[in-house]
Amino acid sequence: MTLATKGIHHITAFATDPQGIVDFYAGVLGLRMVKKTINFDAPEVYHLYFGDEHGSPGTILTFFPHPGSRKGRVGGGQVGMTTLAVPPGSMAFWEERLTRFGVETSKAVRFGEELLQFADREGMLLEIVEREQGPENSWSFGGVPSDKAVKGFGGALLYSTNSAATRRALTDTLGLKAAGESDGFARFIGEGELGNIVDVPLEDVEYGSGGAGTVHHIAWRAKDFAEHEQWRAAAAAGGFQPTPVIDRQYFNAVYFRESGGILFEIATDPPGFAVDEAEDQLGAKLMLPDWYEPHREQIEAGLLPITVRSLGEE
Ligand code: ZN
């Protein structure tokens, strides 16, 4: 039995400013806020999920915005750059839009693909790439028409403190296919349509430090709960120390730190974000798992109010 992940399920980052995160990811990037909940391990902090109209695996960027928290430094042991896929022919739209919202951009090329690179307001590094693959996102918000909308993840650039070991984990444990090297990067490909192209610098990257503006972990897709159990065993067999299976309400999770310092999670595609609210209502209300529901009043009182709003455009 060989397990192979389709690619990225979600990427989770630290931040400081809940409304700033909503304004950037919904207001500027036009993603849908598909879930407003709390950090299940720290209920005084929001957990905000952004993605396509359904909150599909492979499109989900999540944030723990904790006001006043320490700023991190992007570096080794982290996802260095999160790659967002947009439809072919929409790069110019995004360059113009980001510039109009005061976001500084620069161009880079990796594996022959042009990348538009920028940082969010917290310093998290992002890049946009045009990709044919993957369905269009029918969500249209804040002046982003659906034929230009971010489809989901193109992939990620992993900054490893032990590049050789991380590359081995991607093939031997996650089942991604090595797809060659170019200009100091190795590329790995999964069978999904989104979030399936992962690059790793061949040189080790010096440790960064966790905190606002950095990625906390990257989650890889397991297709169901039965496969998820196999993934846990595969991680242990690969020499990693996986956590027990944890119920994250919208997916089950197992975490382990790979040898290049990056925290990996394996997350199940089911049950998904429509498990506790209707799909047309996703993100509208603060959702709490059953075990926190008795404390709703106190939890809501401790959170800053946030609004998904269009930033001055149709
Ligand atoms: Zn996660």
Side-chain angles (χ1 to χ4, degrees):
M1 171 205 69
T2 313
L3 287 173
T5 184
K6 287 190 165 145
I8 300 166
H9 182 285
H10 65 268
I11 289 178
T12 295
F14 291 121
T16 59
D17 176 11
Q19 185 61 51
I21 288 294
V22 174
D23 283 345
F24 194 82
Y25 289 90
V28 177
L29 294 182
L31 298 173
R32 183 178 190 187
M33 188 169 79
V34 293
K35 195 62 65 182
K36 176 165 66 168
T37 183
I38 52 172
N39 181 341
F40 294 174
D41 300 327
E44 68 282 7
V45 177
Y46 276 117
H47 195 182
L48 304 177
Y49 290 74
F50 299 87
D52 72 354
E53 75 274 30
H54 312 293
S56 310
T59 76
I60 303 294
L61 254 174
T62 97
F63 294 89
F64 296 127
H66 190 180
S69 64
R70 188 171 67 92
K71 193 169 161 38
R73 193 180 69 252
V74 176
Q78 299 171 6
V79 172
M81 188 85 77
T82 297
T83 312
L84 303 173
V86 298
S90 55
M91 188 72 96
F93 168 88
W94 283 104
E95 189 174 9
E96 189 277 327
R97 181 175 175 85
L98 290 167
T99 302
R100 188 151 34 87
F101 281 107
V103 181
E104 213 174 295
T105 63
S106 60
K107 292 273 179 71
V109 174
R110 234 176 27 248
F111 290 91
E113 293 182 307
E114 187 173 71
L115 303 159
L116 183 66
Q117 299 183 326
F118 54 100
D120 75 4
R121 311 284 189 212
E122 307 255 358
M124 175 164 156
L125 301 181
L126 298 152
E127 59 188 9
I128 280 177
V129 65
E130 292 182 351
R131 290 264 168 82
E132 289 278 0
Q133 233 187 353
E136 277 190 9
N137 177 2
S138 67
W139 190 252
S140 174
F141 185 77
V144 180
S146 62
D147 67 341
K148 305 278 196 299
V150 172
K151 296 172 168 186
F153 294 118
L157 177 60
L158 306 185
Y159 283 179
S160 172
T161 62
N162 183 344
S163 173
T166 299
R167 285 181 271 135
R168 224 167 21 245
L170 292 177
T171 54
D172 297 3
T173 302
L174 294 181
L176 300 177
K177 298 237 178 334
E181 296 177 3
S182 166
D183 296 329
F185 297 95
R187 173 157 281 196
F188 300 86
I189 299 189
E191 283 179 4
E193 292 193 296
L194 290 169
N196 60 322
I197 300 181
V198 178
D199 294 341
V200 184
L202 296 172
E203 298 267 325
D204 297 348
V205 179
E206 223 171 290
Y207 269 109
S209 65
T214 69
V215 170
H216 179 251
H217 66 266
I218 181 167
W220 307 97
R221 294 174 66 181
K223 74 171 192 257
D224 56 30
F225 299 118
E227 194 189 84
H228 198 234
E229 293 290 342
Q230 297 171 22
W231 275 111
R232 190 173 180 282
F240 305 109
Q241 294 182 302
T243 63
V245 173
I246 301 171
D247 178 1
R248 293 303 189 194
Q249 184 84 354
Y250 310 107
F251 45 84
N252 277 0
V254 160
Y255 304 84
F256 60 94
R257 197 171 294 281
E258 57 81 41
S259 309
I262 304 167
L263 185 59
F264 280 4
E265 175 186 343
I266 307 288
T268 53
D269 281 4
F273 295 96
V275 71
D276 59 357
E277 56 188 339
E279 188 160 307
D280 64 348
Q281 293 296 310
L282 291 179
K285 183 176 166 225
L286 181 73
M287 301 309 295
L288 299 176
D290 290 344
W291 62 93
Y292 279 126
E293 201 54 67
H295 310 289
R296 173 176 283 274
E297 209 173 316
Q298 194 190 341
I299 288 170
E300 285 187 339
L303 294 167
L304 294 168
I306 52 174
T307 322
V308 175
R309 55 190 180 184
S310 184
L311 302 178
E313 285 184 89
E314 286 312 298

